[in-house]
Amino acid sequence: YDPNNVGGMMRKRRKSKFKEAGVGVALGVDSDEEIADDSTDEEDSEDDNDAADLFGDDDMEDDMGYKQRAEVLKLKREKKRLAREERRRQKRERVDAKRKAQLRRAFEPVQLVENFCTERDDAIRMADSPERYYDWLEAKKSVAATARKVLAISDDIDMEEEEEAMWIMSKIPAFSSEVATAVSNATAAAAASAGGENAMVPDTDDVMEKADRTIIESIVYALRYMRGEKLEPEFIKRYRMDIVTSPAVRDNLYRIMDEDSEWERMTEARTKIEGVLQSFREEEEEPAGGKGGPEVERAARLKEQSKVAEEKLNDTVEQERKVQEQLDELEKPKEKGGDDDDDDDDDLFGDDDEDDEAAKAAKEEKKQTLKNHLNTLNTLLSTQAEEVARLDTKFHEAEAAANAAAAASSQGNGNSESISEESMAKMCRDKLWHYGDFSQYASSMTEHRHIMDMKGYLNLIKEGNEAIKDKAAHIGGVSSSSKDKKKRSRRFDWDYYRTCVSEGLRGVCYKFVLPPFRVGIKLEETLTAAGGFSYDRVLPGDEDEDDIGDPRQWIAPVVEGPGPKEFADELIGKGELVMLSNPREGTDWDKTPEMNDPLRACRYVAAMELAQEPRIRRQLRAIYRSEAVITTRPTSKGMGAIDAFHEYYGLHLIRDKPLKEHFPPDDAELERRRAHLNADELKELDTELKKREANSCIQYLNLLKAERSGDITVQVHLPFVSTNIEDASTPWYKLPADKRGRDRQDVARFMEALERVYFPANGDTDEWNEERRKILRMALVNYLLPQFEAEARRDLKDASTRIGVEASAQNLNTMAMTGPYRPSHLLGESRFIVPTGELPIVGVCSSNDAKDGTFLAAVNEKGELSDHLAIPGGTSVTSDKMRERVITFLMQTRPAAIVVGSGGGVSSRATARKLGEVLTQATERWNNRLIQGQDEDDEDFEERMLAFSQMHPNHKDEDEDIDWKCNVDIVDDNVAQLFGRSVRGKKEFPDTAVNLKVAIATARWAKDPLSELAYTWSTASDAGVFGTEMLFLNVHPLQRLLPKPLLLREYERVLCNVVANVGVDLYGACKFDHIHGLLSFVPGLGPRKANNLKQSVARIGGAVSSRRSILAKRLLGPIVYNNSVAFLRVRAIDELQDHQIHPLDDSRCHPDVYQRNKWAVKIAVDALELGDSAAGDNDEYAISAIRDVMQNSQNEVERLYNETKKEWENVYGPTFVVDSWEPRTSVPTERWRDKVEELDLETFAEMIQQSGLGKWLSHLNMVKWEYRLPFQDPRKPMVPPTGETLFRLLTGETDATLCPGKEVTGKVMKNGDFGSQVKLEGDVPGFIPLRNLADDHVESAEDIVQVGTVVTALITQVKMEHMCVDLSLKKEDFKKKSSEWERPQSLPPLDDHFDRAAALTIDEEKDKERESRLDALRLTIGSSNLGDGETGADGQPVRRSGKVTRRACAHPAFRNAKHDEVDRELNEAGDAMVGEALIRPSNKSCDSLAIHWMVRPGCIKVIEVLEQDKDTDASIGNKLIIKKEVYGSIDELLGRYIAPMNDRVEEVLHHRKFLDKLEDEIDTKLETMKRAQPQGVFYFICWSESYPGYVSLRFIMSKTPRHHTIGVSPEGFAWGPKTYSSMDRLMNDFKKNPAGPGAKLQSNRPGGSSSSMSSRTTGTGVRTDDSNRQSRWGARSNAPPSRWGNSIPPPMPPPGPPPNFAPPPGQPPTFAPR
C-alpha cells in the first residue's frame, strides 16, 4: 500500500474489474499490467503537480489582471494536458508493440486470425459501433467525407444531401416503380371515390412530387441513421419505419449504402478534376517569358485567396469556442450530480421522475447534436488549416517566380521570349479547352465514367503540352520546363502523339478542322436540345462581353484556294509542317500513298483529341449502346462438341442480339411504357422487365463460361455492312476474323451525326471534306469503337455479375428461410398454435461405397450428439442381427423423426425405406411395452419389463401414456457433407468418422437450417475472411463465375436479414458452438463482437436474466446494444428459475417501448381496463398485466384458427390446408376480438408525437402483434424433397444432363417379361421396354440383350417421379436428329435471336459426316466379315492388310490426322484445351493409337495405346491397352486414364511447394536460400523441361542443386519403382531418404562394402560411387521399367547419364513416335 499513489492503485483496480477477456488472458501472454513499465507513477506525479496550476505560479507578476492570469493558466493547463495525452499514447504504443511481439513469438499467424488476436480484431472489438460498419466507416475518414456535416434527424435537409439522394434515387429502379405505383393508386382512389363516373383526375405532377419527396427524405434519414447514429440497415428497416417511410427505401438499404460509397467516389473524382482545371488555368496565366507581369498577378491573387482562407479559419475557431462553451454548460449539472453510472442507467432505462423525462431527452439530444457539430468543426478546422498552409506555400512560390521573371526580363533575354511564344502557339490552348465551360460541365457530371472521360482528355492535353515544353527547353539549352522531377508513368501508345504535337502539328490541323471541345458542345446540343444548336451560344465566363456570341467560332475553318496537297507543300516549304515518315531503301514507298501523305500526322493528332473529348464520347457512347449487337460463333472445338444436348446449345449461334436488351430501359422508354397503367399492371410490367434483364444477364454469364471453355466466341459489334459481310459461299458463323473487323461495321449513323457538326456550314471542296472524313473515321474505327466495345463488355460483365450475385443470394435466402423439420404427426396442427419446438432427431448418412459404413446419429433437443450407431459397409439394415440393434438404438433415443441424407444417392432412398420398416417395429414395441402379450405369461412379462427398465434407466413414468410417434424422410445434406469434411467439423469431433459427422450435421440441419448456415460462415480463412466455406455449397450453378468478395458480401447480408427476422436465443448461442454462429449476424454484432459477447456471458455465469442486464453488466456498448438488443431473445431456462423473466424480453419489441418508455405496459393496462394507477412503477404488476394480455391474444389466435377451419370444411369438406393459414394475412382486421384490438393505437401515437417524443406508431403496432405472436418464426417448415428435386439430389442429374434423345451407357441388370432393367452411370435405374429393344417384334428380352451386357441406348422419357429413365435401342430412334427431340420445359427457352437454320445446317453436316464414316466402316466390315475360314473371290482366306489406315470412328476426340496436325489443333485452342486429349492412329503400327494429352499450355504428352480384338484395319480395337490395363472404349480411356491424370496435375499445381518457374530459376532460388540459411534443406517442385508431363523435384543439400524426375499416372506419382497416392506421401518419403526409394541408408555395421566397385558412405547415409563423387545424388542406375503408355517396354537408355539430367522412370530420352 502506497499512500502517495492512491489514485494509481484505484485506476488499476477499475481496470482489472472491467477488463475484457482478450489476448493476454485467453492466450497465456502477459497482461497489460505486466507489460507496462513504471511510467504510470511518473504520470500520476505529473497529474498531482497539475493541481498547482489551479492556483497559479508564485512568480507571476503582481500587476497582471485576473482575466490575464486565468487565460495564462488555461493555456498552461491545456499544454500540459496535451503533453500528458501524448505520453499516454506513446506508452500504449509501447505496451501494444511488446504484446504483439510476444504474440508473434508464441503463435502462428493463422492462430492469431482464428482467435481474433490481430490488431484489426482489437480495433473492431473495442469500437462501440457495428462490426460490419468498421470498413465502411474507415473508408469515410478521408477529408472529403469527414468534411460533410453529421446532421441530426430533426435538422433540415441541405442541398448536398438532397443532391445525393436524388442521384441514388436515379440509380435504383425500385424507387421509380414506387412513384409510378403511387400515381396509379391515386388515380384509382379518385375514380373509386367518384363512383367511376365523372371521376376527378388527380394532379399527376403533384402526386409524383410528393412520392419523390417521400423517397428523398427517406434516403436522407436512412443515411443519417447510418452515419450519425450508426444504426444497421436491418435495425432501420424494422425500428425506424416511422421516419424512413418509403417501403422501397427500407427494402434497398444495403443498395443505398453501396451507392453512397459510389457517390463519394464520384464526388472525389469530380473534385480532382476541378483541381486539374484550376491548375490548367494557373498554368495558362504563367508568363510567356516576358516581363513577369502574370507572375505578379498570380502572386497577388494567391495572397488574396490566402487571406480569405485565413478569415474562414478564424471564423471556424470562434464557432468551435462557442459550441464548446455550450457543451460545457450542459455538462455542468452532470459533474455536480456525483454518480455518473446512476445517471446513465436513468437515461437508458427511464427515470423514476416522469416529469423530467422529456427535458432529459431533449437535453441529451441537444448534447449529441452539439458533439456532432463539434466533431464536424474539428474536422473542418483541420481541412481549413491545411488549405491555408497550401495557399501560403503557393504564394511564396509565385512570389519567387515573379522575382525571377523580373530579373530575367531585366537581363533582356529575348531568345527565351521567342521560344515561349512559339511554344504557346504550338499548344493551341484556346482551341482545346475553355475554363468556364469545362468547370460548368464538370460540376454537372454525375457519372464516374463521364468524369474519367474528362480526365483522359485533360491528361492527353497535358501530355502534349509537356512534350512541347520539353522540346522548347531542349532547343534553348536549358533544363526541362517540367517542375516535377519524379518519374511518372507514360502511356507508350501516346509517344507518337507527343512527337506530333511537339512538332507543332496541332496548329496545322486546326487550320482546317473545328476544335474538339466546340465539336462536343455542338454535338451534344444538336442531339439533345429541343431546338438544336444555336450559333449565338456564349460560353460561361464570357457573358460580360456581349449576350450574343460570334457564330464564326462554331464553324470549321475553310482553307481558301489550295487543296490539301498544295496546302501541305506550302507549309513544308515554310517549315511549319514536318514529314515524320521517311522512305527506307528497298521499300515500296510509292505504292503506299497513305504513308507518303504529309497531312497524315495532322489527321492523327486531330483524331486522337477528337476521340478523347468527353462530350463526344458521351453522345457517341449512347448511340453505340442503342446500335450495338452481340453475336456468338462456335469455335472448332465447339463445332464438334455442341449438339442439341450440350449445355451451350442455343448460346453458340446467337446473331445480332441488341445490346440494350441486357440493360434496363432508359427513363424515356420506361415512362412511355408505364403511362396509363394501373397498380397491378405496373407490377406486372416491373416483373416482366426484371425477368427479361435477369434472363439476359444470366445468359451472358453462360456465354462467358462457354467462351472461357473455348467452345464459343462472343463479339460485341455494330451491325456489319451487308455489301461487305455477306458471302454466299461461306456461312456467317464461319467467316474469318478479317471479314468481321471494325472496318466492316456500319458507322453511318455516327458519321452522319459527326459530319453535321464537323463540316463547314457553308460547305467546302470535296478534297477538304474528305480530309475531315478521314479524321472522323480514324477517330471512330481506331479509337472509339475499340474502347466502346471494351466498355460494353465490361458493363455486360458487371451487370451480369450483379444479377448473378442477386440470384445466388436469393437461392441462399430460400435455403435460410427454410424452417425446422416438422414431423408428420404435427402436420395436422397449426404451427402458430402448436409450435414445432426443440425435438430429438436421428440423422442418417448412407454411403454408396461398400468400404464406408452407414451411421445413425441421435442429437438431443439442443443439437448435441447423444448416441450413435454404426452399420458396417455391405451390411443391410434389415438383416436379423442389425435389425435388432437398430430397433434397440431407436427405442433408447426415441427421436421425433429420422432424416436420411441424400448424399448416398439412390442408396439413400433404399436406406430410408428399410429404416421405415424397422421404425414401424420399434414404435410398435415401444407403444405396446406395457401390454402383456397373449402368448406371454406373467413371469415372462415381468422379466421383459425388468429388462426394459435396465435398458432404459432414464425412462419417466409420466411418459407412459404418451405414444411415441416418428417418421422417416430424406433431406438435402449439402451443408452436412461440407461439415463432415471441414475444419470446424474436425475441431468439434476430432476423432470421429466423416460419415458420422455428416449424420450429426444432417440431424442439425433438420432441426434448424439457419443455424447450420451460420455455423458454416463461422470459419475464417488464413486471411481473416469469414464465410469462405459457403463458396463450396451448391447455391447457384454459376457461382464459380462470380467474384468471391461480392458473393460473400451478399451472402452475409442475406443471413443478417433472415437472422433479424427469426431472432437468436442468447443463452443457446453463447453455450453451444453450433448455434453460436447466429450471433455474428445479429445487427450490431459480428464474428469478433459475438465471440467477445460469448466470453463475457461465460464470465458472469453463462446466462443473462434480462435484456437490461446486457448493458448494465457492460456486455455491449450503448450503440451496439441499441442495434442488437431487439433481436436477442432472453428465454426462461433452468439456470434462471430464480429470476423473473420479462415476457417482452422474448419478443421483437425494443426496450425503448417497455423499459425506457412504459408504452407497452400502458397498452396492456388499458387493454385490461385496470386504470392509470396500475401503470405505475410496480414491475411485477406490469409483468402480470402483460402476461394476461398475451394469453388473451394467443387464445384469440386459436379461436380464429378453429373458426376458419370449421367454415372451410363446412363448404369444401376436409380439404383445409393448415400451412396456408397465417394470422397476419388470412384474418381480416374486423374479425379480431382480443383486447388489444379495442385500443386506438394511432391516437396514442399522435399523443406521443405531440408531446415531443417522436413517432412511434410502428413500434406500437409491433407491440400488438408481439402480444399475439411473440417472436413467431416466419419460416415455413422444411418440406421433404419430392419429384424433380429428389431426383436431382439422389442422382445428380437434371433436365440438362438427362433428356429425351440423349445417348447413355448402362449395364443390363435383369431381363423380365416386359423389358430389361439397366443400371446407368450414377446408379440411375433405367428400363428398356420390349417394344424399344429392336425395330422388329421381340418375344423375349434375352433374345436381344444378356444380363451383364453394356449397352448404349437412347433416352425416350425421364420419369423423375418414379426415379427411372425409359430407354430405346431402336435404330429408328437413333436416326432422329438431335434437334427433333423435344426440349425439356425446365431448360431456358432458346433466344429469339438464335439462328435455328444455321443450327440445322450444322446438324445435317454432322449427320453426313457420321454417315460417311459409318458407310466406310460397313464397307470394310462387309468385305471382311465372311466368317472364320471363309474365302474371298479368289478362294483365299480373307486376311487383314496390316497397314496403318484411317479409322472409321465418329468419336469427337478422334482425329484422322498426323502428329503435327493434332499438336497444332491443341496449341491453337490455347488454355481451353488444357486437360483435354485427342486421339489419332499411330504410325508405329496398325494396331496402336496415339493419345495427345495437353498437360499445360504448350506442353503435350504423347501416349501409345495398343489395340486388340479389331474387326478390321479401319475399326477401333475392342480392347485398348496401356501398360497391361485394358479399356473397353475411347470414353472409358478418357474417363479412367486421362481424367485421373488431370486430377494429379491439379494436385501438383495447387501443392504448396509448386513453383511455376523454369528449372534454372528454381535452382537459383535454392542456392540463394541455402546461402541465407546454410543449415536448412530446401526443395520445390516444378514441371520438367526435358520430359513433357513429368514433375521435377529440385532440392539442395550442400552447394549444388539436385533433382528427381517424378512421373504422373492415374494411380498416383511414380518415383523410382514406387507409386504414391498423393504428392504429400511422396514428399514424406523424400524427406526420409532424399536419394530415392531404391537407395540404401547408412549402415551401422563396420567394415567396407561387399561390392567389387569402390564405394563409400557419406555422412548423410547415402552410398555413392568414388569414381564420380559429384553425382552422389544422381540416379546412376538404369531407370525402372515403364509405367506408362508403351505396351512394349522401350529400350533402356545407356547407363550413366549426368546426374542433373536423369530421365524419368520408364521414359527413354527419345522423342515420341510420329
Side-chain angles (χ1 to χ4, degrees), residues 238-239 241-242 1144 1148-1150 1152-1154 1157-1164 1224 1236-1237 1239-1249 1254-1268:
R238 293 164 178 81
Y239 296 98
M241 296 174 61
D242 300 297
L1144 293 183
R1148 292 182 174 87
C1149 296
H1150 197 277
D1152 286 346
V1153 298
Y1154 66 90
N1157 304 290
K1158 304 294 184 179
W1159 297 328
V1161 178
K1162 181 171 178 56
I1163 290 175
R1224 286 180 179 267
V1236 292
E1237 187 63 30
L1239 301 179
D1240 189 356
L1241 298 182
E1242 295 183 359
T1243 304
F1244 186 30
E1246 292 178 0
M1247 294 171 58
I1248 297 174
Q1249 184 177 356
K1255 301 178 181 180
W1256 294 87
L1257 179 59
S1258 63
H1259 286 261
L1260 301 182
N1261 287 326
M1262 180 182 292
V1263 170
K1264 178 177 68 174
W1265 280 103
E1266 288 302 306
Y1267 281 163
R1268 294 170 175 172

Side-chain angles (χ1 to χ4, degrees), residues 1302-1367:
K1302 189 171 185 178
E1303 292 184 7
V1304 291
T1305 302
K1307 185 177 181 180
V1308 179
M1309 305 301 295
K1310 181 180 179 181
N1311 287 325
D1313 297 336
F1314 302 99
S1316 301
Q1317 297 180 10
V1318 181
K1319 185 177 182 180
L1320 306 179
E1321 296 179 0
D1323 295 337
V1324 179
F1327 182 72
I1328 308 177
L1330 284 178
R1331 65 178 183 276
N1332 290 341
L1333 282 171
D1335 293 316
D1336 300 330
H1337 178 70
V1338 178
E1339 291 290 341
S1340 175
E1342 295 179 353
D1343 297 340
I1344 307 299
V1345 294
Q1346 304 294 327
V1347 175
T1349 305
V1350 177
V1351 296
T1352 299
L1354 213 63
I1355 298 176
T1356 59
Q1357 185 179 4
V1358 181
K1359 299 179 179 179
M1360 295 186 177
E1361 293 288 345
H1362 302 283
M1363 204 68 63
C1364 184
V1365 177
D1366 284 353
L1367 307 172

Side-chain angles (χ1 to χ4, degrees), residues 654-706:
I654 296 177
R655 187 177 187 184
D656 296 345
K657 180 178 181 179
L659 180 67
K660 58 185 178 181
E661 291 189 8
H662 292 267
F663 301 99
D666 55 17
D667 296 337
E669 182 182 356
L670 194 60
E671 185 177 355
R672 179 184 59 80
R673 298 185 65 175
R674 285 176 173 172
H676 310 295
L677 296 180
N678 57 34
D680 294 335
E681 292 172 342
L682 283 173
K683 190 174 181 180
E684 292 179 2
L685 176 62
D686 291 339
T687 303
E688 178 187 351
L689 293 177
K690 290 179 181 178
K691 184 178 180 181
R692 189 193 72 172
E693 181 187 3
N695 291 339
S696 298
C697 291
I698 294 297
Q699 181 192 70
Y700 189 77
L701 280 179
N702 283 300
L703 291 178
L704 292 179
K705 180 181 177 182

Side-chain angles (χ1 to χ4, degrees), residues 887-1066:
I887 290 176
T888 303
F889 173 78
L890 294 178
M891 291 177 63
Q892 289 176 341
T893 56
R894 293 190 304 283
I898 301 175
V899 290
V900 181
S902 60
V906 180
S907 63
S908 296
R909 188 165 176 247
T911 302
R913 289 181 176 178
K914 295 176 181 178
L915 282 176
E917 299 175 2
V918 177
L919 177 63
T920 302
Q921 299 181 12
T923 54
E924 184 178 356
R925 287 190 188 180
W926 176 265
N927 294 332
N928 298 330
R929 66 189 181 282
L930 302 178
I931 302 176
Q932 185 174 353
Q934 296 180 358
D935 55 349
E936 187 178 27
D937 55 17
D938 295 341
E939 184 177 351
D940 294 339
F941 176 71
E942 292 177 359
E943 184 179 352
R944 179 168 62 84
M945 293 302 298
L946 179 61
F948 174 82
S949 61
Q950 294 176 353
M951 184 179 298
H952 306 281
N954 297 326
H955 174 62
K956 299 179 182 180
D957 295 337
E958 56 267 19
D959 296 338
E960 293 181 355
D961 297 334
I962 302 176
D963 289 342
W964 171 33
K965 297 179 181 179
C966 184
N967 62 283
V968 182
D969 268 320
I970 298 177
V971 297
D972 184 5
D973 62 352
N974 185 14
V975 179
Q977 292 287 345
L978 180 62
F979 171 79
R981 295 158 177 83
S982 66
V983 177
R984 55 193 172 91
K986 188 175 182 180
K987 287 183 179 180
E988 186 176 0
F989 303 102
D991 301 324
T992 306
V994 172
N995 284 358
L996 178 55
K997 289 186 284 187
V998 172
I1000 297 171
T1002 302
R1004 289 176 176 176
W1005 172 262
K1007 286 183 62 63
D1008 190 1
L1010 180 58
S1011 297
E1012 286 301 294
L1013 289 175
Y1015 194 20
T1016 304
W1017 183 276
S1018 62
T1019 303
S1021 65
D1022 295 345
V1025 180
F1026 288 87
T1028 51
E1029 271 192 26
M1030 298 199 71
L1031 299 175
F1032 297 97
L1033 295 177
N1034 297 323
V1035 178
H1036 193 276
L1038 297 176
Q1039 66 184 22
R1040 301 289 184 267
L1041 301 175
L1042 304 175
K1044 294 179 181 179
L1046 293 181
L1047 206 58
L1048 291 177
R1049 186 188 68 179
E1050 206 66 23
Y1051 284 175
E1052 183 180 20
R1053 292 174 176 179
V1054 167
L1055 293 178
C1056 287
N1057 178 52
V1058 178
V1059 168
N1061 287 332
V1062 176
V1064 178
D1065 178 13
L1066 182 58

Side-chain angles (χ1 to χ4, degrees), residues 1670-1691:
Q1670 293 182 353
S1671 62
R1672 62 192 181 106
W1673 297 110
R1676 298 187 54 82
S1677 59
N1678 290 339
S1682 173
R1683 302 182 58 84
W1684 305 106
N1686 298 329
S1687 58
I1688 302 175

Side-chain angles (χ1 to χ4, degrees), residues 519-581:
V519 176
I521 295 174
K522 287 182 66 177
L523 181 64
E524 183 180 45
E525 296 191 1
T526 301
L527 296 178
T528 59
F533 176 74
S534 174
Y535 285 89
D536 297 335
R537 192 183 195 280
V538 180
L539 295 177
D542 299 341
E543 295 88 350
D544 54 346
E545 298 177 0
D546 279 317
D547 294 337
I548 300 177
D550 185 4
R552 292 175 298 177
Q553 62 184 349
W554 301 102
I555 301 175
V558 177
V559 179
E560 301 292 343
K565 183 172 178 30
E566 295 79 8
F567 173 76
D569 293 339
E570 181 181 351
L571 292 179
I572 292 175
K574 294 179 180 180
E576 298 181 16
L577 180 61
V578 180
M579 286 286 293
L580 298 179
S581 301

